[in-house]
Amino acid sequence: SYELTQPPSVSVSPGQTASITCSGDKLGDKYACWYQQKPGQSPVLVIYQDSKRPSGIPERFSGSNSGNTATLTISGTQAMDEADYYCQAWDSSLYVFGTGTKVTVL
Amino acid sequence: EVQLVQSGAEVKKPGESLKISCKGSGYSFTSYWIGWVRQMPGKGLEWMGIIYPGDSDTRYSPSFQGQVTISADKSISTAYLQWSSLKASDTAMYYCARWDIVQFFFDYWGQGTLVTVSS
C-alpha cells in the first residue's frame, strides 16, 4: 500500500519560514494537497493540486511537489498557524494521508 | 452553502453495534463521493473508505476492509458508517468529507462524531 511520511514536528519563530515535507514513492507524479487541523476542529484544506490555494487561505501558504517529495511552506509564520498539518495524495483508489506534522510557533 | 452534518457523540460497550451518519446539504448529494476518516486520540488522519451515493459504489482502505460498512441513502442525502461489533480500539473521532473528483481533495468536512467504546 502507498505511504506518505512527514516529520513529526517542526518549530518556527514568528515571522520566519516553516517548511514541511511529505515523502512518498513517485509522489511528484500525483497531485498532493495539504490540510491544517487545529485542536478540536475539523481539517481545513490549505493547498491543493500541489501548489494552489483555496479561496480564503493566506498567501503565506505555498506548496510544491517534485520527485518523491511534496513541500508545504509557510512564509512569515504567525501564531495562528500553529496546528497539525497533513499531506494527502490519491493513488489507485487509495486516498492516503501523511503521518502528520505538528507546527509549533515559538 | 455546502454542509455535512454528522450525528452526535456515542458511548458504547465492546461488542455492541453502531451506525453513525453524515447528512449532506447545499449540493447534489448523488454527484460527489463521501469519504470517512478516522482520528484516534492524539493521532493522525486515516482514510477508511469512500462511497458514491449516486450508485453506492464503495471503496475501502485495506486497513478497514471487513471492519466497517459504508452505505448511503440518497433519498435523504445521508451517508453512514457502521460497525457490527465494536472494540475498545474503535474509540476515535470519525469525520465524513466530500471528495472533489476533479481536483483530488476533500473540500468539505463534517464536524466529526466522537465514538467512545468502553466497558
Side-chain angles (χ1 to χ4, degrees):
Chain A
S1 62
Y2 195 73
E3 296 182 355
L4 295 173
T5 303
Q6 300 178 229
S9 62
V10 167
S11 297
V12 59
S13 300
Q16 298 305 301
T17 297
S19 293
I20 307 164
T21 57
C22 172
S23 299
D25 185 50
K26 298 180 182 177
L27 181 55
D29 292 343
K30 315 176 200 310
Y31 277 133
C33 64
W34 292 88
Y35 302 92
Q36 175 194 69
Q37 187 182 33
K38 296 183 178 180
Q41 297 183 19
S42 301
V44 172
L45 183 74
V46 294
I47 291 289
Y48 68 99
Q49 287 187 352
D50 300 335
S51 59
K52 298 180 179 179
R53 275 179 295 104
S55 172
I57 299 301
E59 291 184 9
R60 63 180 180 273
F61 289 89
S62 62
S64 63
N65 185 16
S66 180
N68 294 321
T69 304
T71 302
L72 173 69
T73 302
I74 311 173
S75 305
T77 306
Q78 299 184 9
M80 68 172 67
D81 300 328
E82 187 163 286
D84 294 326
Y85 291 84
Y86 298 90
C87 60
Q88 182 186 33
W90 181 88
D91 177 73
S92 302
S93 294
L94 297 179
Y95 303 70
V96 183
F97 286 100
T99 50
T101 299
K102 181 176 182 60
V103 171
T104 301
V105 182
L106 299 171
Chain B
E1 177 194 8
V2 174
Q3 283 192 311
L4 295 174
V5 178
Q6 298 184 229
S7 50
E10 302 273 2
V11 179
K12 292 289 190 178
K13 290 181 168 36
E16 291 186 333
S17 62
L18 176 64
K19 191 174 189 177
I20 62 174
S21 65
C22 169
K23 183 173 177 60
S25 63
Y27 72 100
S28 175
F29 186 73
T30 54
S31 300
Y32 288 81
W33 292 79
I34 293 288
W36 287 94
V37 177
R38 182 176 80 174
Q39 187 166 40
M40 299 177 75
K43 301 299 184 182
L45 305 175
E46 301 173 89
W47 174 68
M48 303 175 70
I50 197 163
I51 187 166
Y52 188 73
D55 61 6
S56 292
D57 186 7
T58 307
R59 318 279 171 84
Y60 292 93
S61 161
S63 299
F64 291 93
Q65 179 82 49
Q67 307 304 308
V68 297
T69 302
I70 293 171
S71 61
D73 184 342
K74 60 186 179 183
S75 70
I76 55 172
S77 302
T78 301
Y80 301 96
L81 176 66
Q82 68 180 87
W83 296 259
S84 58
S85 181
L86 287 160
K87 302 183 286 287
S89 57
D90 292 318
T91 294
M93 181 71 81
Y94 294 88
Y95 295 99
C96 65
R98 191 182 81 164
W99 179 253
D100 186 314
I101 195 171
V102 175
Q103 301 185 98
F104 300 98
F105 56 79
F106 286 114
D107 55 0
Y108 289 92
W109 292 69
Q111 81 277 20
T113 296
L114 180 62
V115 174
T116 303
V117 184
S118 174
S119 55

